């Protein structure tokens, strides 16, 4: 399941003005336009110009924060965002080939709503939709909904018994969430809509199915109110940093985003996820494992380093991330991606430090460099996101049952 050098997959993760907290203060940034459709349309058009597989769009249920666990009260960084699914639905019809993958938070949303929203996105994009699943244990986000409470939970609590119980519960809930979403996508057979004016039959009711899901976290009867999406099953993806989320990726996802800092760590992460994939009974299925990197790209490595240092000075502190941070040239990044791909990663999701600078550096610098090495496509060769990722359109589980 490792990637061959000529079949790298590339995505970009879009977040406001960029991933560096001082990105919005750069001359190339457009801080007054972050809440406009035109801004997001321009970013995704640039990504499509670079033939990228897809974009992900960040989202959360709380304001952005420099703290992992609580609001920070800062006023010198971007705060406030649009809904990622609605951004995706707005920009998808403006594109032709690139996949559009908004972030959705499973913890406080209903799988029925998200199933319907992503199915709709698959229709308006004509088969290029996906979702990036996220969970949250932040008490202030739970308070926005008032349906459940979480104790204060910091990084230091992760390995305590109570912390592990909380984390395991959240990710078990997320796995059930995905299962409900996927069943709802299948709850209409592909040919359930007849649309025959002469006979007056619009749908074949026998081809709509109850999913009758009953689990620890959800009881959902179904069927959906949205017909089966064009891809059958839009892409499900998730970011994972440790064993419990690795297990969610192995059980439930089509793509996992991981954050190894070198080839040896990448090899170990891939091995762990592949082992969990086999335990989950999915050994024969294609599961992509993408490496996440924040990128500062310039034609001269000294210029990239100086730009990062200048941004850090503006921010008042050095930039750190859960993912490795690359600072250098497109050719140097191409070398790194080649080494990480050899360790078993099948693609990469790059996070532009400054969207207005580093996204074009990816599409106009890195992509041509990879093409020169015969390591990346020269044109789009599929009409759907599943097709771009080499995934077949799955059979409908209920149609198979009905005809068995």
């Amino acid at each position: 399941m490792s990637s061959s050098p000529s079949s790298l997959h590339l995505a970009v993760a879009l977040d406001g003005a960029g991933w560096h907290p001082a990105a919005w203060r750069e001359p190339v940034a457009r801080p007054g336009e972050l809440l406009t459709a035109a801004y997001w349309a321009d970013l995704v058009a640039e990504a499509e110009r670079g033939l990228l597989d897809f974009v992900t769009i960040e989202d959360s249920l709380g304001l952005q924060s420099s703290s992992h666990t609580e609001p920070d009260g800062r006023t010198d960084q971007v705060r406030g965002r649009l809904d990622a699914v609605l951004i995706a639905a707005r920009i998808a019809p403006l594109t032709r080939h690139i996949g559009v993958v908004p972030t959705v938070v499973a913890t406080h949303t209903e799988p029925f709503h998200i199933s319907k929203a992503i199915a709709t996105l698959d229709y308006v994009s004509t088969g290029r939709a996906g979702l990036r699943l996220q969970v949250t244990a932040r008490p202030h986000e739970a308070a926005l909904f008032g349906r459940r409470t979480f104790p204060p939970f910091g990084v230091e609590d992760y390995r305590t018994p109570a912390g592990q119980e909380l984390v395991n519960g959240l990710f078990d809930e997320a796995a059930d969430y995905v299962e409900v979403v996927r069943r709802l996508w299948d709850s209409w057979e592909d040919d359930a809509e007849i649309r025959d004016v002469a006979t007056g039959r619009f749908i074949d009711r026998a081809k709509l199915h109850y999913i009758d899901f009953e689990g620890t976290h959800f009881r959902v009867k179904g069927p959906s109110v949205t017909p089966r999406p064009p891809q059958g099953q839009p892409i499900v993806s998730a970011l994972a940093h440790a064993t419990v989320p690795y297990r969610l990726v192995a059980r439930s996802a089509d793509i996992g985003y991981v954050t190894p800092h070198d080839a040896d760590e990448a090899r170990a992460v891939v091995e762990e996820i592949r082992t969990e994939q086999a335990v989950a009974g999915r050994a024969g299925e294609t599961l992509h494992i993408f490496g996440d990197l924040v990128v500062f790209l310039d034609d001269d490595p000294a210029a990239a380093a100086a730009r990062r240092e200048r941004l850090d000075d503006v921010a008042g502190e050095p930039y750190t991330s859960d993912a490795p941070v690359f600072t250098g040239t497109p050719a140097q990044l191409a070398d790194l991606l080649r080494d990480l791909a050899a360790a078993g990663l099948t693609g990469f999701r790059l996070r532009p430090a400054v969207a207005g600078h580093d996204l074009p550096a990816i599409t106009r610098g890195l992509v041509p460099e990879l093409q020169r090495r015969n390591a990346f496509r020269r044109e789009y060769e599929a009409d759907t996101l599943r097709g771009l990722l080499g995934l077949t359109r799955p059979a409908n589980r209920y149609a198979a049952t009905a005809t068995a």
Side-chain angles (χ1 to χ4, degrees):
M1 291 222 183
S2 63
S3 175
S4 68
S6 61
S7 61
L8 279 186
H9 296 282
L10 277 183
V12 288
L14 302 177
D15 188 15
W19 286 79
H20 194 287
W24 71 277
R25 299 169 72 175
E26 286 288 275
V28 74
R30 298 155 60 183
E33 300 177 53
L34 298 182
L35 304 185
T36 68
Y39 174 78
W40 292 94
D42 288 349
L43 292 185
V44 179
E46 182 63 41
E48 187 169 60
R49 192 174 293 119
L51 306 177
L52 303 188
D53 290 68
F54 60 92
V55 299
T56 62
I57 303 169
E58 292 301 299
D59 207 349
S60 65
L61 298 178
L63 283 178
Q64 300 95 320
S65 177
S66 56
S67 166
H68 291 299
T69 57
E70 59 191 1
D72 61 5
R74 295 183 70 154
T75 59
D76 63 331
Q77 298 176 3
V78 172
R79 296 292 181 265
R81 59 167 90 244
L82 299 177
D83 183 273
V85 174
L86 294 178
I87 292 173
R90 176 66 180 83
I91 61 178
L94 306 178
T95 59
R96 293 183 57 199
H97 303 287
I98 194 166
V100 187
V101 181
T103 296
V104 300
V105 182
T107 311
H108 300 295
T109 61
E110 292 296 330
F112 182 88
H113 290 144
I114 293 301
S115 170
K116 186 168 175 279
I118 301 301
T120 300
L121 179 61
D122 210 38
Y123 275 101
V124 300
S125 67
T126 59
R128 294 178 284 117
L131 64 85
R132 184 179 86 83
L133 194 71
Q134 189 168 278
V135 303
T136 176
R138 298 181 184 97
H140 67 281
E141 294 181 8
L144 297 172
F145 297 87
R147 295 177 180 173
R148 61 203 294 190
T149 59
F150 291 118
F153 185 81
V155 176
E156 67 279 1
D157 299 314
Y158 183 83
R159 298 197 181 280
T160 65
Q164 282 294 291
E165 183 179 0
L166 175 61
V167 169
N168 285 330
L170 283 172
F171 281 92
D172 282 344
E173 178 183 56
D176 277 1
Y177 190 102
V178 174
E179 181 65 18
V180 172
V181 167
R182 289 193 181 280
R183 290 191 189 191
L184 287 167
W185 284 336
D186 275 351
S187 64
W188 288 54
E189 294 184 38
D190 289 321
D191 56 352
E193 292 177 276
I194 301 168
R195 307 176 191 169
D196 190 330
V197 173
T199 64
R201 294 187 72 208
F202 191 87
I203 62 169
D204 182 346
R205 189 61 185 79
K207 295 190 175 183
L208 274 61
H209 299 278
Y210 296 117
I211 69 168
D212 290 326
F213 182 90
E214 293 195 18
T216 305
H217 306 280
F218 303 103
R219 296 182 65 184
V220 179
K221 188 172 185 61
S224 178
V225 297
T226 306
R228 194 173 193 230
Q231 292 183 102
Q233 291 280 320
I235 296 299
V236 175
S237 65
L239 176 64
H241 297 108
T243 294
V244 173
Y246 291 160
R247 193 169 295 139
L248 173 69
V249 166
R251 290 167 61 186
S252 303
D254 303 293
I255 305 170
Y257 313 111
V258 298
T259 56
H261 285 71
D262 56 41
D264 288 340
E265 189 180 350
R267 198 169 286 110
V269 168
V270 169
E271 182 178 356
E272 182 172 0
I273 292 175
R274 295 299 181 209
T275 299
E276 293 287 355
Q277 183 182 355
V279 170
R282 299 183 63 204
E285 298 180 31
T286 298
L287 168 61
H288 283 295
I289 305 176
F290 278 34
D292 263 26
L293 298 94
V294 180
V295 296
F296 295 80
L297 283 176
D298 285 279
D299 291 336
D300 176 61
R307 185 163 59 91
R308 179 179 176 183
E309 184 177 350
R310 178 170 52 77
L311 284 162
D312 286 350
D313 288 342
V314 171
E317 58 193 357
Y319 175 73
T320 59
S321 173
D322 59 307
V325 181
F326 174 85
T327 307
T329 69
Q332 290 171 329
L333 180 55
D335 290 340
L336 175 61
L337 300 188
R338 177 194 61 199
D339 293 344
L340 291 171
L345 298 179
T346 58
F348 300 92
R349 187 176 70 140
L350 305 180
R351 308 179 188 178
V354 178
H357 180 108
D358 294 297
L359 177 56
I362 291 167
T363 58
R364 306 179 193 193
L366 175 65
V367 166
E369 178 65 31
L370 292 171
Q371 289 170 334
R372 281 192 289 273
R373 303 177 185 209
N374 294 318
F376 194 66
R377 67 172 67 90
R378 293 182 179 273
E379 61 181 7
Y380 281 111
E381 296 169 344
D383 295 327
T384 68
L385 180 52
R386 293 189 71 91
L388 288 177
L389 294 167
L391 301 172
T392 58
R393 188 178 190 277
N396 185 310
R397 73 194 70 195
Y398 299 112
T401 301
T403 58

